Amino acid sequence: MSTPGVPFVAAAASLMARDLRLAMRRSGDSLLPLGFFVVVTTLFPLALDPDLSLLRDIAPAALWVGALLSSLLALDLLFRDDAQDGALEQLALCGQPFAGLLLAKTAVHWLLTGLPLVLVAPLTATALGVPYSATAAILAALLLGTLALSLIGAVGAGLTLSLRRNGPLLALLVLPLAVPVLIFGARATTLAIQGESPSAPLYLLGAIAVLAASLSPWALAASVRIGLE
Amino acid sequence: MNGITAENLHLWRGEVHVLRGLSFAVNAGQCLQISGANGAGKTTLLRALCGLLPLEHGRVCWCGTDIASDPSLYHAQLAYLGHDNGLKGDLSAIENLRYGTALRRRLQSPQYTSALSTVGLAEQATVPLRRLSAGQRRRVALARLMLMDAALWILDEPASNLDAAGQALLRSLLQRHLHAGGTAVVATHQELGLEVDALRTLALQ
């Protein structure tokens, strides 16, 4: 009667279109993590002495801890709705490669929560007294960093699917794994602010992002399957 | 053989031994009705048949091959309707059908509208699903089931929230599916009202 009639790419594209459309219908949800990031990073200049060199010293920490916590906050949006209304089960049973579909979902999630954060970062960096010459490096570091954070976090979100109050456990699972991203991201930012070449930590960030992209789909599929049991 | 067979299924949920050596066979054109008290393990059995729950012992075969050997191939021929419809409240009925079936088949717009009119929701096609009643949402899920064109239907309480007309609709959909050579496994308390020679029953304790 029936064979898998749709190529995977078309199936993944329709899933991504669905998630984008759903996000448009509830645009407030996906903007919340961005608002959190902006508010947290702009609180630092208000709380500290208006001393430019002090602000520049803490700017990398403020930007990256803000990005890390904001990505953690956003993870709640990734699978929760689909798990509650049974759409995730349908996805698992549609006959398409589950790992690929979940990777597509994570990609949309990054587009909606990670990319806006990267785009708004130059503004918040300016508020922290970061020189304009460092902006390009900070953008590159955050681009790679948020990608890695979304991929790592998605696995944690899958593992904690079956728990009702999963926030604290999710943080405990994901934050230790995100430490390398924090270290190299902050290092690249510091070097860029000091006017030195940030390429070494950027390469390492890139390596982490590639590693996360190549390993996380399988871990994702396994963890979400466990969450569905 | 064409159809689904279960051989000596064992499954534990926590401390409870839910499935204890269960075996059955359902051929093409037949429907297995599973009944049993609340908590007897109907949903657990259906989810295990789908491959969502790993079995501790025993195996499930579809058309003679173990479903664990090629899950994607099996899932491509399976349509599962659980307690939750798997529909999005923020999308309209027709968008739900489009995105719900796009993972498996490419269909044309008239097919969505005709499926919706079959389930009696032609006028609500563009209304966001959250504004429809629970019974109407179940009807949208039935429309998706119809469009999936799957050889095996696994339905968990498909008649829940449906009115008398909705139950008659479900019966006619099931009958059409079985006549076309499909197989169905249905957990339900209600009488399905199918022809006797197409119906197998299984009571869980």
Side-chain angles (χ1 to χ4, degrees):
Chain A
M1 255 165 121
S2 156
T3 46
V6 177
F8 168 73
V9 178
S14 105
L15 178 65
M16 292 170 88
R18 189 205 73 165
D19 277 7
L20 281 173
R21 184 172 291 212
L22 280 170
M24 297 304 151
R25 303 257 156 105
R26 325 178 108 187
S27 48
D29 278 5
S30 43
L31 287 178
L32 274 179
L34 180 67
F36 175 84
F37 173 73
V38 171
V39 169
V40 164
T41 45
T42 46
L43 281 180
F44 281 88
L46 298 178
L48 285 166
D49 287 336
D51 172 8
L52 199 58
S53 71
L54 183 65
L55 271 180
R56 277 185 190 168
D57 284 348
I58 60 115
L63 282 173
W64 281 90
V65 171
L68 194 61
L69 294 180
S70 153
S71 85
L72 197 65
L73 200 67
L75 282 181
D76 194 37
L77 300 168
L78 181 52
F79 297 129
R80 191 195 52 196
D81 281 353
D82 276 353
Q84 273 173 359
D85 61 24
L88 207 54
E89 275 171 7
Q90 295 293 337
L91 229 51
L93 296 176
C94 73
Q96 300 283 359
F98 196 37
L101 292 180
L102 293 175
L103 187 65
K105 267 190 84 65
T106 310
V108 174
H109 179 256
W110 176 79
L111 269 182
L112 292 167
T113 62
L115 191 60
L117 190 150
V118 177
L119 295 178
V120 88
L123 282 178
T124 56
T126 310
L128 290 166
V130 172
Y132 292 116
S133 57
T135 308
I138 291 177
L139 274 178
L142 276 173
L143 201 69
L144 295 168
T146 50
L147 256 178
L149 290 176
S150 287
L151 290 162
I152 295 168
V155 179
L159 274 177
T160 52
L161 255 185
S162 51
L163 306 175
R164 235 175 327 131
R165 296 182 53 81
N166 59 5
L169 184 61
L170 184 59
L172 283 178
L173 270 175
V174 171
L175 290 179
L177 290 173
V179 166
V181 179
L182 181 73
I183 291 174
F184 295 120
R187 185 74 192 138
T189 311
T190 310
L191 288 176
I193 291 173
Q194 291 167 353
E196 292 168 48
S197 164
S199 46
L202 276 183
Y203 285 141
L204 282 163
L205 264 185
I208 294 172
V210 169
L211 191 70
S214 45
L215 291 183
S216 74
W218 321 115
L220 247 181
S223 70
V224 173
R225 282 228 166 82
I226 292 170
L228 282 177
E229 272 178 25
Chain B
M1 68 163 247
N2 272 335
I4 187 167
T5 55
E7 296 165 21
N8 198 21
L9 305 185
H10 282 273
L11 206 145
W12 289 75
R13 294 300 272 165
E15 297 293 303
V16 189
H17 196 175
V18 187
L19 304 181
R20 309 174 196 191
L22 194 70
S23 300
F24 60 79
V26 195
N27 289 318
Q30 288 183 335
C31 171
L32 176 73
Q33 179 180 359
I34 300 166
S35 57
N38 295 126
K42 298 190 290 295
T43 298
T44 306
L45 172 59
L46 293 191
R47 292 174 67 88
L49 290 180
C50 288
L52 283 172
L53 289 179
L55 292 161
E56 257 108 89
H57 190 268
R59 59 180 199 153
V60 177
C61 293
W62 167 248
C63 295
T65 43
D66 194 329
I67 62 164
S69 65
D70 191 350
S72 307
L73 192 68
Y74 170 61
H75 288 153
Q77 302 180 50
L78 161 80
Y80 171 68
L81 179 58
H83 283 285
D84 304 312
N85 294 318
L87 302 167
K88 309 305 286 184
D90 287 320
L91 298 179
S92 70
I94 204 140
E95 287 169 331
N96 264 300
L97 288 186
R98 187 180 308 132
Y99 291 123
T101 53
L103 298 170
R104 358 208 343 174
R105 301 181 69 197
R106 193 164 295 150
L107 297 168
Q108 308 298 322
S109 308
Q111 290 173 280
Y112 303 120
T113 32
S114 82
L116 277 181
S117 53
T118 307
V119 299
L121 292 174
E123 283 167 26
Q124 286 87 353
T126 54
V127 179
L129 218 65
R130 62 159 92 241
R131 290 213 217 119
L132 300 186
S133 75
Q136 287 174 317
R137 287 201 289 266
R138 202 61 170 173
R139 282 168 182 248
V140 177
L142 289 181
R144 185 189 57 201
L145 182 70
M146 218 164 80
L147 289 174
M148 276 199 191
D149 192 32
L152 171 64
W153 286 5
I154 295 185
L155 314 178
D156 197 352
E157 299 288 358
S160 65
N161 295 320
L162 288 179
D163 55 15
Q167 289 177 16
L169 169 76
L170 171 67
R171 195 177 309 128
S172 79
L173 287 181
L174 256 176
Q175 226 135 30
R176 206 195 308 168
H177 176 63
L178 298 178
H179 277 309
T183 309
V185 179
V186 184
T188 181
H189 294 289
Q190 272 128 346
E191 282 301 314
L192 286 171
L194 297 170
E195 295 156 22
V196 180
D197 57 338
L199 192 67
R200 299 281 175 276
T201 54
L202 175 72
L204 291 179
Q205 262 113 59

